[in-house]
Amino acid sequence: ETAVFQTPNYHVTQVGNEVSFNCKQTLGHDTMYWYKQDSKKLLKIMFSYNNKQLIVNETVPRRFSPQSSDKAHLNLRIKSVEPEDSAVYLCASSLQANTGQLYFGEGSKLTVL
Amino acid sequence: QQQVRQSPQSLTVWEGETAILNCSYENSAFDYFPWYQQFPGEGPALLISILSVSDKKEDGRFTIFFNKREKKLSLHIADSQPGDSATYFCAASARSGTYQRFGTGTKLQVVP
């Protein structure tokens, strides 16, 4: 049963455009994450928020910015996309920061032409 | 750098066989090791997990063997079924850390 919802599931755009991905979790968790999964299936952490506070910001280009309005929502904005941004962006949540199971959404696949 | 590694990259077994997926890590502070299963078009989902205080964890056909001294663990899938065909990720985290690190993944194909 899906409890982490991502929109859109797919997005095709051109280099230089802006893209936003939305994520909502209905589990009542305190912590949310954005992971990037590349074409080789490698999963890399990008950001982590605990109760609307940024706690992890791995080395990602400045054109990526997370936005959290409340602990149930974590969006990802990409200003001026580049070809290497083509990937699946996975949103996840956990009860607390770094404890236990991660619950993932279905992912948002970005293709940059 | 890649702190969690998996092998093999891909694995094909016959239905009914036991599939063995390997994982190794570098950081001695890691103490929680979940395995996730991912089907195409879906996000990863937790399959089974183990804490570093244990050396074995079983859940039905799935068993984790953990060797803390060698920093290695393995996932055994007994009586493999075609429905087990998926990509499996080993992950690791530390109580003092802030997020789970994922391995490179093993793509499993179970042939009928």
Side-chain angles (χ1 to χ4, degrees):
Chain A
E1 184 179 348
T2 304
V4 180
F5 303 92
Q6 291 187 236
T7 58
N9 291 125
Y10 301 92
H11 190 80
V12 180
T13 191
Q14 300 199 333
V15 171
N17 286 347
E18 180 174 313
V19 173
S20 286
F21 296 118
N22 303 309
C23 181
K24 171 188 173 181
Q25 55 96 0
T26 58
L27 296 164
H29 289 168
D30 282 343
T31 308
M32 296 184 71
Y33 311 80
W34 278 108
Y35 280 84
K36 179 181 180 180
Q37 186 168 42
D38 64 20
S39 58
K40 296 182 180 178
K41 297 289 190 182
L42 291 176
L43 276 159
K44 293 275 177 68
I45 185 73
M46 299 179 72
F47 302 103
S48 171
Y49 267 74
N50 186 49
N51 229 341
K52 297 198 301 176
Q53 297 294 318
L54 180 66
I55 56 172
V56 171
N57 182 358
E58 285 296 288
T59 305
V60 297
R62 285 189 173 185
R63 59 182 181 275
F64 289 85
S65 59
Q67 298 162 326
S68 179
S69 57
D70 55 58
K71 70 175 189 179
H73 295 84
L74 182 62
N75 300 330
L76 180 67
R77 186 176 75 155
I78 314 173
K79 284 196 303 185
S80 189
V81 295
E82 298 286 339
E84 60 264 31
D85 298 337
S86 294
V88 175
Y89 293 88
L90 287 159
C91 177
S93 72
S94 64
L95 190 58
Q96 295 175 352
N98 196 38
T99 54
Q101 180 179 353
L102 291 180
Y103 293 79
F104 283 91
E106 293 186 336
S108 296
K109 183 174 182 178
L110 174 64
T111 301
V112 181
L113 302 175
Chain B
Q1 73 276 26
Q2 192 66 38
Q3 294 195 36
V4 181
R5 299 181 189 276
Q6 291 183 243
S7 65
Q9 191 173 9
S10 63
L11 176 66
T12 299
V13 299
W14 293 103
E15 181 176 356
E17 291 186 333
T18 296
I20 300 175
L21 289 66
N22 301 303
C23 178
S24 63
Y25 63 97
E26 298 177 0
N27 190 339
S28 300
F30 290 154
D31 56 9
Y32 172 67
F33 302 90
W35 284 83
Y36 291 86
Q37 180 187 55
Q38 185 179 29
F39 295 106
E42 299 181 11
L46 180 71
L47 185 65
I48 186 173
S49 63
I50 193 168
L51 294 171
S52 60
V53 293
S54 302
D55 56 15
K56 183 180 177 181
K57 176 81 172 287
E58 285 183 85
D59 185 358
R61 297 186 294 110
F62 303 94
T63 303
I64 299 174
F65 292 93
F66 179 68
N67 185 322
K68 188 172 183 177
R69 183 179 59 84
E70 295 188 7
K71 297 181 189 171
K72 291 181 178 179
L73 57 159
S74 60
L75 173 68
H76 292 226
I77 305 175
D79 188 25
S80 295
Q81 301 297 309
D84 296 331
S85 297
T87 299
Y88 292 81
F89 292 97
C90 170
S93 63
R95 256 169 293 181
S96 58
T98 52
Y99 62 90
Q100 289 179 14
R101 287 164 173 79
F102 281 76
T104 47
T106 293
K107 186 174 182 178
L108 173 67
Q109 184 177 14
V110 181
V111 181

